[in-house]
Amino acid sequence: MRMINWGVLGPGSIANTFATAMKVSPKGKITAVASRSQERAEAFAKQYDIDNIYTNYEALLNDPSIDVIYIATPHSFHFEQAKQCLQAGKHVLVEKPCTVTAAQMQYLVDLAKANKVLLQEGVWSRFMPVLSQAKKSIEQGIIGDIQYIQSNIGFAFQNREQPKERLAKPELAGGALLDLGIYSISLSQYFLGEHPRTIQSAGKLTEQGVDEQEMVTLSYASGVYAQFSSSMAAHASNSMHIVGSQGYLVLPHCFWDADAAYFYKHDECIQAIEIPHAANGFEYEIAEVMDCIEQGKLCSDLMSHQDSIGVLKIMDEIRAQLGVQYPESITQAR
């Protein structure tokens, strides 16, 4: 079995989660890390036993031994960095959201197809076996026909010892929606298998002009509704309920990091699906990306290019309704 060599672009906190999950992979290995800060790159390489350190991204892209690059930088950098990776002929896994706008995502999809390399958005939830099993049970009718989905996701980041300062900055594509609300949208899309017909949103902006919190209702042609709230100023239950005509599904605390799902009928649990993570949940998307590369696929069926574009279109519309405006320098698609 040939090992697949990974490069990490941006050794921040989420890259640590990724690197920890890579340890359980039987066929993947991180062999290079690139950072503008040599100190951060060296610390990351030492912690995860990585051989090669680059202090400029171009050197990573020019390394012929690297098969696929994981981009873990702030949202605003994803488009340009992913574009450079694809132009260099590298497969790429981009931390969610893959881009800031739907137009940018479409540009990258076209580029990936032209260069015949994989482009995968890293919405880790979409690859978790608990959710795929839960979806199969729903399709088999365990709760009847889905009527609506409700979810909430929120953290009082201002109360944390190390608040996420990037979330406050428009120039870094900050706000609750792209960081948190994306999970509610993407998983509603996953379970319903369709895109909304109408979008209604209300919310509050920060003094810097990014969305502090929002409440959104999505209505679908099938007659189903999905409602969610996301906030970076309040701590929520962080759960998702999928309500059917004969019962309901509960994805408990941190529903996007699902290792358990519970089906209820008449308030009695009739099925429990529990699959503990082998590492931390990132191992599933890592394995899927490598399987897709070996199969010559340009993205996974679990999170297709059209799914990524669809979610970004929804978020584009929500931001427009709320009046969130990012600088043109991070939204242009060329």
Side-chain angles (χ1 to χ4, degrees):
M1 178 175 63
R2 186 182 79 84
M3 292 293 290
I4 293 179
N5 294 330
W6 288 76
V8 171
L9 199 159
S13 60
I14 198 70
N16 282 278
T17 306
F18 175 86
T20 298
M22 187 64 75
K23 291 180 179 180
V24 303
S25 172
K27 61 181 180 181
K29 178 178 173 59
I30 301 173
T31 59
V33 57
S35 174
R36 301 294 188 193
S37 165
Q38 183 167 343
E39 183 180 355
R40 290 179 66 188
E42 288 177 349
F44 190 83
K46 181 178 180 180
Q47 183 173 356
Y48 298 105
D49 192 25
I50 298 169
D51 294 332
N52 299 305
I53 297 171
Y54 298 114
T55 55
N56 68 80
Y57 299 149
E58 293 76 15
L60 177 65
L61 302 183
N62 292 329
D63 185 337
S65 70
I66 298 297
D67 301 300
V68 53
I69 293 173
Y70 172 61
I71 296 177
T73 52
H75 310 329
S76 56
F77 299 109
H78 289 180
F79 172 71
E80 188 61 36
Q81 292 168 347
K83 181 172 74 170
Q84 292 173 2
C85 290
L86 296 171
Q87 289 172 334
K90 300 295 188 185
H91 302 294
V92 61
L93 170 65
V94 188
E95 187 53 51
K96 60 80 188 167
C98 191
T99 59
V100 175
T101 70
Q104 288 179 328
M105 186 67 199
Q106 184 65 65
Y107 182 100
L108 293 184
V109 168
D110 293 341
L111 187 58
K113 290 178 179 178
N115 287 278
K116 295 182 173 58
V117 287
L118 176 137
L119 167 66
Q120 185 63 61
E121 181 176 26
V123 183
W124 62 321
S125 313
R126 294 286 287 259
F127 305 93
M128 292 181 180
V130 160
L131 295 184
S132 63
Q133 289 195 23
K135 185 178 182 182
K136 288 179 182 177
S137 293
I138 290 175
E139 291 171 345
Q140 292 166 359
I142 190 171
I143 60 172
D145 296 327
I146 295 177
Q147 302 299 302
Y148 61 88
I149 298 176
Q150 288 183 320
S151 61
N152 60 73
I153 177 169
F155 296 92
F157 287 118
Q158 73 276 11
N159 296 333
R160 292 195 167 191
E161 193 171 313
Q162 292 183 321
K164 293 189 174 183
E165 294 181 357
R166 64 174 176 80
L167 293 179
K169 298 180 178 181
E171 65 271 22
L172 295 180
L177 183 64
L178 266 65
D179 214 66
L180 305 175
I182 185 174
Y183 288 118
S184 291
I185 299 170
S186 188
L187 289 187
S188 294
Q189 178 196 66
Y190 176 70
F191 282 107
L192 297 177
E194 59 178 326
H195 299 288
R197 180 178 55 184
T198 64
I199 301 167
Q200 295 176 302
S201 57
K204 177 184 178 183
L205 305 187
T206 66
E207 291 182 358
Q208 293 91 341
V210 301
D211 54 300
E212 184 174 77
Q213 53 195 17
E214 51 265 319
M215 301 188 72
V216 180
T217 299
L218 309 174
S219 64
Y220 298 82
S222 61
V224 178
Y225 290 85
Q227 292 183 315
F228 74 90
S229 62
S230 53
S231 174
M232 58 182 191
H235 195 91
S237 68
N238 295 313
S239 60
M240 173 176 277
H241 290 68
I242 301 178
V243 180
S245 56
Q246 299 175 29
Y248 59 93
L249 165 67
V250 177
L251 298 174
H253 183 67
C254 294
F255 67 85
W256 57 91
D257 182 13
D259 60 2
Y262 303 99
F263 288 97
Y264 291 85
K265 195 169 186 177
H266 304 302
D267 293 328
E268 178 183 347
C269 184
I270 57 173
Q271 182 183 351
I273 304 172
E274 298 175 340
I275 306 176
H277 300 325
N280 52 30
F282 268 52
E283 61 269 24
Y284 307 118
E285 69 175 4
I286 290 171
E288 178 69 10
V289 164
M290 292 189 290
D291 286 346
C292 287
I293 290 172
E294 291 177 338
Q295 295 166 26
K297 298 173 69 172
L298 302 187
C299 69
S300 170
D301 297 333
L302 295 172
M303 187 69 199
S304 70
H305 290 157
Q306 289 308 308
D307 277 353
S308 293
I309 292 169
V311 170
L312 283 160
K313 284 182 176 179
I314 294 169
M315 295 198 297
D316 285 350
E317 176 60 24
I318 292 170
R319 291 201 318 276
Q321 291 183 13
L322 297 179
V324 177
Q325 294 185 340
Y326 294 140
E328 184 182 354
S329 60
I330 67 167
T331 59
Q332 60 186 10
R334 58 181 186 273

